[in-house]
Amino acid sequence: MDGVPSTYVEGFHDRKAVRRMRYRPLGRTGLLVSLLSLGGAPLGGLYGETNEHEMVGVVRTAIQKGINFIDTAPFYGHGKSETILGKALQGIPRQAYYIGTKTSRYGYTDFDFSAKKAWQSVDESLHRLGLDYVDLLQVHDVEYSASTDVVCNEALVALQKMKEQGKCRFIGITGYSLPVLKLVSSNSPVVVDTLLSYARLTMNDSSLLDYLPFFKEQGIGVINASPLSMDLLSNRPVPPDWHPAPQYIKDVCRQAANYCQSQHVDIAKLAMHYSVDNQDIATTVMGAARYCMSQLEFIECHNTH
C-alpha cells in the first residue's frame, strides 16, 4: 500500500500514525525499520519494577502506531522481558513487527559465548516469545568475551547455523566498546548484518560518528540505543549507582538538565532529536517503561516537522 511499510496490516494498524512515522533501511537486510524502536530492558524490570498489564498495552499501542522493531534479550529480567513480550504479541499479525533478541549475556556478571549455550538460549527465547523465529539474533555485549575469537568462531558461527535452520533472518552484535564492535564485524567468518551501540550517539558522547563511515561501507545496519545516555540526559535527580560515566560527566549533564529546565525545555526531548536526526542511524531504541505513552507523543510531534 502506498506510503506505508511492508509491516503495515490493514485493520490492525492506525494508518494515519503509520504514515506519519518515518522508516529507514536497516543496512543490507532489506528491512525498513521505524525511526524509533521499542527497547525491552524495562519490561524485564532492569531499571525498576513495572506493571505487566501496562507494559503489554504499551507494546501493542506502539506497534499499532507504527513502531515495527522491538529489541529484547534473556538478560532483561532473566527472561521476564521476553515473556511479557510474548504475551503482548499474542493476536498481533506476525507481519506487523520485527523482533530482535540476543545470546551470550544472562546476568550482570553471567556471560557465555559458547556455541552450545547459544543454541540452548535461542530455543528458550523462542519459547518465551511464542515465536518460531526472530528477525534478528544478536551476540550481546561482545566486549565482555575473554577473546573475540570465541565470539567470532563460536557464537556467531552458531547463529549462522540457526539462520540456516530458519530460527532467525539476520545476525547482529551489540556492545558499548566501538573498537571491539569494529574488530568483531571485521573478523567474523559470517556476515554481520547489524550492530547495536548504546550511549555512543548522545549529546555528551558522539563517538559513534567516527565509526559510522566504516559500518556504512560494510553494509551494516546501525541501531542506536540509550539516546538519553542511560538517563544522564533527563530530569532524574541522581543517576543509578551502576552508571559507568565518570562523575564530572554526570555533573555536567545535571547542570545541562537544570539549565534546560530553567528555560522550560525538556532535555530528554533535545537528546532524542539529536539522536534520531542522524540519517545514518537506522533506528533509535527507546525504553518501554518510564516514557510509555510520552514516547508515542514524541513520535507524533517529531514526524509532523
Side-chain angles (χ1 to χ4, degrees):
M1 188 176 295
D2 182 51
V4 294
S6 61
T7 47
Y8 176 79
V9 178
E10 187 69 36
F12 169 76
H13 280 103
D14 178 337
R15 191 167 188 272
K16 289 183 179 179
V18 172
R19 294 194 69 169
R20 282 195 298 268
M21 174 64 75
R22 285 188 277 158
Y23 298 86
R24 292 174 181 162
L26 182 60
R28 59 174 158 253
T29 64
L31 305 182
L32 283 178
V33 291
S34 47
L35 180 87
L36 298 175
S37 48
L38 205 60
L43 298 180
L46 208 63
Y47 308 126
E49 287 303 311
T50 54
N51 180 284
E52 180 176 317
H53 177 74
E54 181 184 22
M55 291 299 99
V56 166
V58 167
V59 172
R60 295 184 65 87
T61 302
I63 297 173
Q64 286 176 320
K65 286 185 173 291
I67 285 181
N68 69 356
F69 180 70
I70 307 167
D71 176 74
T72 186
F75 167 48
Y76 303 153
H78 301 286
K80 182 180 178 182
S81 173
E82 292 176 323
T83 300
I84 292 176
L85 272 177
K87 294 177 181 179
L89 296 174
Q90 289 178 12
I92 297 179
R94 184 61 180 89
Q95 173 192 336
Y97 59 88
Y98 303 125
I99 190 163
T101 193
K102 307 181 185 79
T103 69
S104 305
R105 184 170 194 176
Y106 307 101
Y108 285 102
T109 59
D110 184 6
F111 297 90
D112 188 338
F113 293 89
S114 69
K116 180 180 179 181
K117 182 62 175 179
W119 282 97
Q120 175 190 339
S121 174
V122 170
D123 285 341
E124 290 171 352
S125 290
L126 291 174
H127 177 74
R128 286 190 288 263
L129 291 165
L131 300 174
D132 297 324
Y133 72 94
V134 292
D135 299 280
L136 179 62
L137 271 179
Q138 305 158 96
V139 182
H140 200 172
D141 287 346
V142 293
E143 66 266 30
Y144 285 96
S145 175
S147 168
T148 57
D149 288 342
V150 176
V151 175
C152 292
N153 298 315
E154 287 218 33
L156 283 168
V157 168
L159 266 56
Q160 175 63 30
K161 292 178 180 177
M162 294 180 211
K163 178 180 178 181
E164 293 166 1
Q165 291 189 8
K167 293 178 185 287
C168 71
R169 298 173 64 193
F170 302 103
I171 294 170
I173 55 177
T174 84
Y176 185 69
S177 171
L178 293 168
V180 175
L181 287 171
K182 181 178 179 180
L183 180 64
V184 171
S185 63
S186 300
N187 293 343
S188 172
V190 305
V191 173
V192 174
D193 299 299
T194 71
L195 67 84
L196 184 154
S197 165
Y198 64 94
R200 294 297 201 180
L201 185 58
T202 67
M203 292 194 301
N204 65 291
D205 184 346
S206 60
S207 50
L208 179 58
L209 295 177
D210 295 332
Y211 290 81
L212 283 177
F214 172 81
F215 296 140
K216 186 175 182 179
E217 182 181 347
Q218 300 301 309
I220 298 173
V222 178
I223 301 167
N224 177 45
S226 194
L228 306 188
S229 198
M230 294 180 284
D231 273 348
L232 285 187
L233 302 171
S234 74
N235 290 320
R236 283 193 67 178
V238 180
D241 293 338
W242 49 259
H243 201 291
Q247 189 60 47
Y248 80 93
I249 292 291
K250 295 178 182 179
D251 292 342
V252 169
C253 288
R254 172 50 43 207
Q255 292 169 19
N258 290 341
Y259 176 76
C260 287
Q261 205 164 25
S262 74
Q263 301 300 308
H264 308 291
V265 174
D266 184 353
I267 193 172
K269 290 184 178 180
L270 290 180
M272 282 302 307
H273 278 284
Y274 176 81
S275 292
V276 303
D277 282 346
N278 189 299
Q279 298 298 311
D280 291 327
I281 300 299
T283 186
T284 295
V285 179
M286 300 174 66
R290 188 178 306 108
Y291 303 101
C292 293
M293 302 314 295
S294 66
Q295 296 183 144
L296 303 174
E297 292 168 5
F298 174 86
I299 294 169
E300 297 192 356
C301 175
H302 191 275
N303 291 329
T304 56
H305 290 82

